[in-house]
Amino acid sequence: MADDKDVLRDVWFGRIPTCFTLNQDEVTEREAEAYYLLLPRVSYLTLVTDKVKKHFLKVMRTEDVEEMWFEYEGTPLKWHYPIGVLFDLHASNSVLPWSITVHFKNFPDRDLLHCPSSSVIEAHFMSSIKEADALKHKSQVVNDMQKKDHKQLWMGLQNDKFDQFWAMNRKLMEYPTEEGGFRYIPFRIYQAMSDRPFIQKLFRPVSPEGNAYTLGDLLKEMYPAAITNDGEQKRYQVVIHGIEPLLETPLQWLSEHLSHPDNFLHICVVPTPSD
Amino acid sequence: MAERRGECLWKKHVAEQLKLRDREQRQAFEEIILQYNRLLEKADLQAVLSERYQADKYDVQRGHESSAADSSRSDALQQEMAQMRIRHQEELTELHKKRGELAQSVIELNNQIQQKDREIQNNEAKMLEYQQQISSLEGDCRELRSCLQDLERANQTLKDEYDALQITFSALEEKLRKTTEDNQELVSRWMAEKAQEANRLNAENEKDSRRRQAKLQKELADAAKEPLPIEADDDIEVLTEDAGKAGGETSPSRLLTRTPSKKISQQPPGGLLDSISLMFGYVGVCVCVRVSVCMSVCVSVRAGSGSSVLDHLAHSSALSLSLSHTLTGHSGKVLSARFLLDNARIVSGSYDRTLKLWDLRSKVCMKTVFAGSSCNDIVCTEQCVMSGHFDKKVRFWDIRAESIVRELELFGRVTSLDLNHDRTELLTCSRDDLVKIVDLRTNAVKQTLSAQGFKCGADWTRVTFSPDGSYVAGGSADGALYIWNVLTGKVDRTLDRNHSSAINSVSWSPSGAYVASVEKGSRAILWSDM
């Protein structure tokens, strides 16, 4: 289905315009200009911000540089969330470009994980894939894959190679036809204001009768407050990859096409902006 | 259907939403961010460049401050030029050094080249030498090869000649063999023919003798009928006493008979000779006469000069005297024959250098002994046969052993042997005109008899003992008969008047009263009163 392929491409190549500004408290030799960058939605912050670091290091003295970390409007940005998730969650309705503040000092250990090298990001990414496949196929598919296949997945993400990545990833999107779908749908529901980081539960894509569950069904199950009852004003927006899919969209289809590269369906529920 | 529509709906919604999003979020900012980043890079570059220029300007400013304000520029220039000059001089010196080094290397290379040239010349000279050597060796080689070829050819020709000669030789050998075979065949045929002839002659002789006998008997019968007158001068002469040279001793004083051979005459008491002469009317000279004890007579006759000789033997009773048998076998003339003491065997010596022993009963030759030289005379004792030879030796043979027991060498060819009565002494006559008496026990010459006129005329001249052994008689070549006295060793008597030619043989009668001598001129003389 050509549309599905286009959907996949659009999902992969999604970008967020970002403006990186150095924190004023940072000691600089001269004034640092802001750095603008189009960040890929599906990647991770620490993976794509080498240029940002280099740019700001030009104006900084080496002894002042510690590990770089980002924050948006006071909120430290967790690098292990996909960038798209971070944007949708925190700044989906704000003015573009997304203004991120770059810090080099005072790393918030309580809020953020350290990221010393790209292998850490790789490990996190692979563990997400394995977790997702455990839910989908009881880890059979991912365990049948060889190490080089896993590497190919990572390299595809790192180098922004759609074909290289999906050559392997389609295996993870297969399911035995008699099942009608995955065993369980790997998803996470993020809330803007919540104590919990996200909601993740077991949810089958197909009902015992054989009906395919939809996004609405999932929300009804997991986060009923997100669903607008008839007559009410829409209080919450259900955002996936920066768009609001219809609630009738089948969950299985969503999992197959709108998952992030880590095979999870990241759903952000944000309050509707009140103009 | 509804599902499909439904499906399309939400899918389309999703797709639309994505497109919208991209338009808003990406496309709106993409170009701006790109250009912004480029400007940022340029700004960075400009900043870096300006920094560098600032630094340069600062340096230059510092240079300016140290010198005077007006001449600052010219001073700077001068300094610059000085610096340049210094730099150029340095370069110049460096270049000079380099040039020196290069010149040095050039010289060295030239030297090397010269050396190499010299080496090359040496090598070429050596090569030339070697080539000359090679050519000379090649010449030698060729010469040697041609030499070798010549030698081979010569060898080949020699081989061919040799082969040819070999062939001729074998052919000649073959021919020789054939001729020898033919020769032998011819010889045997001739011998056979001669034997036949001998047989024929024997037969004739037999016939002849029988005829004669018959005739004789008839004549005797006739003669018995009439008395015979004795005629005085009928070939019988009576000699006077002074006929011979006297030595003062008794000697035969009368010649009893002088009987030419081939003549029939009456029967004198010593009519042995007559009958002999009557019977054997052969061409030839009667060489010797031997009288055996039982009166069998064995006569050896030299028949002409032929080599085939017939040895005639007469077995007879005391008076019959007829030819009994002929023994053939010798290949040369038979010079002597003797009865062995047992009277059954005869030993004969011949010119063919052999002695043959004949058996009378079987009438064949029992043994043949090679003597080495022609045997002139033979005598025999019970065990021993003595033969005198042409080679001046007297050989003593053992009869049973058929081998030489002893040899006795004399100074001349031995012509005659004789034994005395008791067989202790051997009488030899040799061509050196000496008659020797050898003592058989000591084997030494006991006595030598010689006489002034005594010459041994032929190889078969016979001398003889008297029956009592006291006298020796021998005939000389001048026809004189010498009698030696053994005891004195001197000539006892010389009877020289009656023989006209050389005396061949003499013989004493057993009684000792008579001596018979025969001469070359076919005359026999009987001497009496010995």
Side-chain angles (χ1 to χ4, degrees):
Chain A
M1 296 224 270
D3 293 332
D4 288 348
K5 200 78 187 286
D6 289 337
V7 166
L8 291 175
R9 289 191 89 88
D10 286 338
V11 164
W12 178 271
F13 288 111
R15 293 279 191 270
I16 299 175
T18 321
C19 171
F20 289 93
T21 325
L22 189 63
N23 182 31
Q24 284 122 340
D25 295 336
E26 302 289 335
V27 179
T28 56
E29 289 179 350
R30 20 174 236 289
E31 189 189 337
E33 291 96 354
Y35 195 78
Y36 286 87
L37 198 58
L38 276 174
L39 297 177
R41 274 180 168 272
V42 300
S43 187
Y44 299 93
L45 266 176
T46 41
L47 198 56
V48 295
T49 49
D50 285 330
K51 279 192 187 159
V52 175
K53 188 168 183 175
K54 205 165 66 174
H55 172 82
F56 287 117
L57 282 178
K58 278 188 281 189
V59 297
M60 299 214 42
R61 293 183 300 189
T62 30
E63 56 267 23
D64 294 331
V65 172
E66 290 163 15
E67 188 171 350
M68 183 170 68
W69 58 279
F70 307 99
E71 60 90 3
Y72 173 72
E73 292 189 351
T75 319
L77 295 174
K78 301 184 201 306
W79 64 264
H80 58 275
Y81 286 178
I83 296 170
V85 173
L86 288 169
F87 177 76
D88 290 340
L89 199 55
H90 298 296
S92 57
N93 291 310
S94 64
V95 170
L96 293 172
W98 188 21
S99 298
I100 297 183
T101 315
V102 181
H103 291 263
F104 283 103
K105 287 203 295 223
N106 304 322
F107 191 87
D109 290 316
R110 295 182 63 201
D111 300 317
L112 294 181
L113 296 170
H114 281 278
C115 183
S117 69
S118 66
S119 55
V120 177
I121 312 171
E122 182 186 357
H124 167 70
F125 176 70
M126 291 313 298
S127 79
S128 295
I129 287 183
K130 285 179 190 168
E131 189 182 343
D133 197 61
L135 289 169
K136 285 198 277 188
H137 304 115
K138 288 201 261 190
S139 297
Q140 272 168 4
V141 177
V142 77
N143 284 341
D144 282 342
M145 286 161 88
Q146 294 173 342
K147 180 134 168 83
K148 68 174 171 69
D149 299 331
H150 294 172
K151 203 71 181 176
Q152 189 173 345
L153 288 168
W154 167 248
M155 297 306 279
L157 176 69
Q158 190 183 27
N159 301 327
D160 194 26
K161 295 270 194 273
F162 173 78
D163 295 312
Q164 187 183 9
F165 179 80
W166 271 99
M168 280 298 132
N169 202 41
R170 62 180 177 78
K171 287 192 207 161
L172 291 166
M173 293 303 175
E174 288 167 350
Y175 57 88
T177 35
E178 62 267 18
E179 299 277 318
F182 302 136
R183 191 149 176 267
Y184 297 107
I185 297 291
F187 68 93
R188 286 189 184 142
I189 301 177
Y190 298 90
Q191 290 164 300
M193 295 295 157
S194 168
D195 297 329
R196 302 156 76 178
F198 48 79
I199 299 169
Q200 181 178 345
K201 287 191 186 156
L202 293 174
F203 192 82
R204 289 189 186 276
V206 182
S207 72
E209 296 86 34
N211 298 326
Y213 284 131
T214 65
L215 181 60
D217 296 329
L218 176 69
L219 285 172
K220 223 186 286 183
E221 187 71 33
M222 299 297 160
Y223 193 19
I227 298 174
T228 316
N229 297 324
D230 289 333
E232 282 184 357
Q233 240 185 336
K234 195 161 147 206
R235 276 178 290 150
Y236 289 101
Q237 276 178 314
V238 178
V239 185
I240 307 177
H241 280 290
I243 62 165
E244 285 183 70
L246 297 174
L247 289 177
E248 300 88 64
T249 318
L251 198 58
Q252 177 65 28
W253 188 90
L254 278 176
S255 177
E256 286 174 34
H257 297 84
L258 255 67
S259 292
H260 277 258
D262 61 356
N263 280 221
F264 268 92
L265 192 64
H266 297 280
I267 304 169
C268 300
V269 176
V270 292
T272 320
S274 54
D275 298 319
Chain B
M1 197 61 176
E3 237 182 69
R4 179 69 71 78
R5 251 189 292 130
E7 188 180 297
C8 289
L9 203 62
W10 49 259
K11 211 182 270 188
K12 234 196 279 186
H13 175 78
V14 164
E16 277 175 11
Q17 285 289 307
L18 281 170
K19 291 275 186 295
L20 192 66
R21 176 203 78 184
D22 279 342
R23 216 175 29 242
E24 280 182 9
Q25 294 176 355
R26 182 182 175 151
Q27 286 156 10
F29 293 90
E30 206 169 355
E31 193 64 30
I32 287 177
I33 289 179
L34 189 68
Q35 295 297 334
Y36 173 80
N37 284 334
R38 249 193 239 155
L39 281 172
L40 208 62
E41 278 175 27
K42 275 192 198 165
D44 284 338
L45 195 63
Q46 293 289 346
V48 168
L49 279 174
S50 67
E51 265 188 45
R52 214 186 290 161
Y53 287 146
Q54 286 276 20
D56 282 347
K57 202 170 81 176
Y58 195 58
D59 287 338
V60 170
Q61 271 186 345
R62 258 195 282 133
H64 276 174
E65 280 170 11
S66 62
S67 61
D70 287 336
S71 59
S72 58
R73 274 189 75 89
S74 63
D75 274 344
L77 264 170
Q78 269 183 7
Q79 261 193 9
E80 258 187 62
M81 280 171 63
Q83 273 184 359
M84 273 175 69
R85 210 185 309 134
I86 290 171
R87 243 184 297 134
H88 285 156
Q89 273 179 349
E90 281 177 17
E91 275 183 45
L92 200 64
T93 43
E94 242 186 77
L95 287 170
H96 276 302
K97 229 194 303 172
K98 261 209 185 143
R99 198 184 70 177
E101 282 174 19
L102 287 172
Q104 186 79 19
S105 61
V106 162
I107 289 173
E108 271 180 42
L109 288 171
N110 273 346
N111 282 345
Q112 279 186 2
I113 285 174
Q114 278 180 3
Q115 217 177 4
K116 294 280 186 253
D117 278 336
R118 250 178 278 133
E119 274 182 34
I120 286 173
Q121 274 179 5
N122 281 350
N123 285 344
E124 276 187 10
K126 267 194 237 169
M127 260 173 52
L128 219 68
E129 214 184 286
Y130 288 147
Q131 270 182 348
Q132 279 176 359
Q133 257 186 355
I134 285 173
S135 57
S136 73
L137 286 171
E138 272 183 13
D140 286 341
C141 189
R142 250 180 280 124
E143 271 179 42
L144 288 170
R145 235 180 265 142
S146 66
C147 220
L148 180 70
Q149 273 180 0
D150 288 337
L151 285 172
E152 272 184 18
R153 251 181 272 126
N155 188 28
Q156 190 63 33
T157 30
L158 283 172
K159 267 201 212 158
D160 293 336
E161 278 181 28
Y162 171 74
D163 287 337
L165 285 172
Q166 189 84 356
I167 291 173
T168 11
F169 170 70
S170 52
L172 286 174
E173 247 189 348
E174 187 68 27
K175 251 209 254 179
L176 174 70
R177 197 177 48 80
K178 264 206 209 131
T179 8
T180 341
E181 274 178 28
D182 288 343
N183 181 33
Q184 278 186 1
E185 203 197 310
L186 287 170
V187 163
S188 60
R189 273 212 306 219
W190 191 21
M191 295 275 292
E193 281 200 16
K194 285 287 176 193
Q196 274 182 6
E197 214 179 280
N199 287 341
R200 221 178 340 105
L201 280 172
N202 276 350
E204 271 187 25
N205 284 346
E206 283 265 347
K207 255 198 308 193
D208 210 25
S209 71
R210 260 190 237 117
R211 206 174 4 98
R212 266 187 226 276
Q213 192 135 1
K215 199 170 166 188
L216 190 60
Q217 275 183 354
K218 194 176 130 224
E219 280 185 3
L220 281 174
D222 286 340
K225 287 183 200 145
E226 42 179 289
L228 274 171
I230 298 175
E231 291 162 19
D233 60 344
D234 193 12
D235 295 350
I236 297 177
E237 280 186 29
V238 177
L239 293 173
T240 54
E241 272 197 30
D242 57 347
K245 296 189 181 122
E249 292 140 31
T250 53
S251 58
S253 55
R254 276 182 299 157
L255 172 66
L256 271 182
T257 56
R258 185 178 63 173
T259 319
S261 60
K262 292 191 190 167
K263 209 165 165 219
I264 301 169
S265 71
Q266 60 277 30
Q267 280 189 341
L272 210 55
L273 198 55
D274 289 347
S275 53
I276 292 168
S277 64
L278 282 173
M279 278 188 304
F280 303 99
Y282 295 110
V283 177
V285 177
C286 186
V287 175
C288 76
V289 173
R290 296 271 186 263
V291 178
S292 78
V293 172
C294 66
M295 306 273 274
S296 304
V297 175
C298 144
V299 173
S300 66
V301 172
R302 177 167 75 100
S305 60
S307 64
S308 72
V309 168
L310 308 172
D311 185 358
H312 297 268
L313 235 191
H315 267 273
S316 63
S317 61
L319 295 173
S320 59
L321 295 178
S322 57
L323 177 59
S324 169
H325 195 73
T326 306
L327 302 171
T328 57
H330 273 292
S331 57
K333 54 190 186 219
V334 178
L335 293 167
S336 171
R338 282 277 184 193
F339 282 99
L340 285 182
L341 288 171
D342 55 0
N343 287 335
R345 293 180 288 180
I346 291 171
V347 59
S348 65
S350 140
Y351 185 70
D352 66 352
R353 305 195 196 104
T354 59
L355 287 110
K356 282 184 188 280
L357 190 64
W358 308 85
D359 181 61
L360 287 175
R361 275 186 280 271
S362 57
K363 301 187 181 69
V364 292
C365 170
M366 278 176 5
K367 290 174 204 167
T368 304
V369 182
F370 187 67
S373 168
S374 85
C375 169
N376 287 335
D377 201 2
I378 296 185
V379 296
C380 53
T381 62
E382 295 110 349
Q383 305 99 359
C384 186
V385 171
M386 283 151 269
S387 59
H389 289 270
F390 188 85
D391 61 352
K392 312 175 194 165
K393 287 197 187 152
V394 178
R395 291 187 168 86
F396 298 78
W397 303 82
D398 188 320
I399 294 170
R400 277 181 287 267
E402 301 169 36
S403 63
I404 296 181
V405 173
R406 217 177 299 123
E407 281 181 9
L408 185 64
E409 181 137 8
L410 296 177
F411 299 107
R413 300 198 277 268
V414 179
T415 69
S416 166
L417 293 173
D418 195 22
L419 285 170
N420 67 348
H421 171 74
D422 50 9
R423 288 187 275 276
T424 56
E425 289 172 359
L426 176 71
L427 181 69
T428 68
C429 175
S430 54
R431 285 300 294 274
D432 58 351
D433 312 324
L434 294 176
V435 179
K436 292 195 171 48
I437 299 180
V438 176
D439 190 336
L440 284 176
R441 284 176 294 229
T442 64
N443 287 316
V445 175
K446 196 170 92 174
Q447 206 168 5
T448 305
L449 303 170
S450 67
Q452 194 183 3
F454 176 69
K455 282 196 199 40
C456 197
D459 281 349
W460 44 85
T461 310
R462 304 287 194 228
V463 299
T464 177
F465 269 115
S466 61
D468 55 5
S470 50
Y471 291 102
V472 169
S476 145
D478 56 5
L481 179 69
Y482 290 85
I483 311 285
W484 288 271
N485 191 324
V486 170
L487 295 164
T488 62
K490 299 225 185 308
V491 179
D492 188 59
R493 227 179 303 174
T494 309
L495 307 166
D496 58 358
R497 268 212 237 130
N498 295 86
H499 276 291
S500 53
S501 59
I503 298 179
N504 279 333
S505 177
V506 295
S507 183
W508 287 85
S509 69
S511 61
Y514 301 99
V515 169
S517 66
V518 294
E519 68 166 44
K520 205 159 156 193
S522 307
R523 263 189 358 165
I525 300 181
L526 185 67
W527 308 85
S528 68
D529 197 14
M530 298 309 234

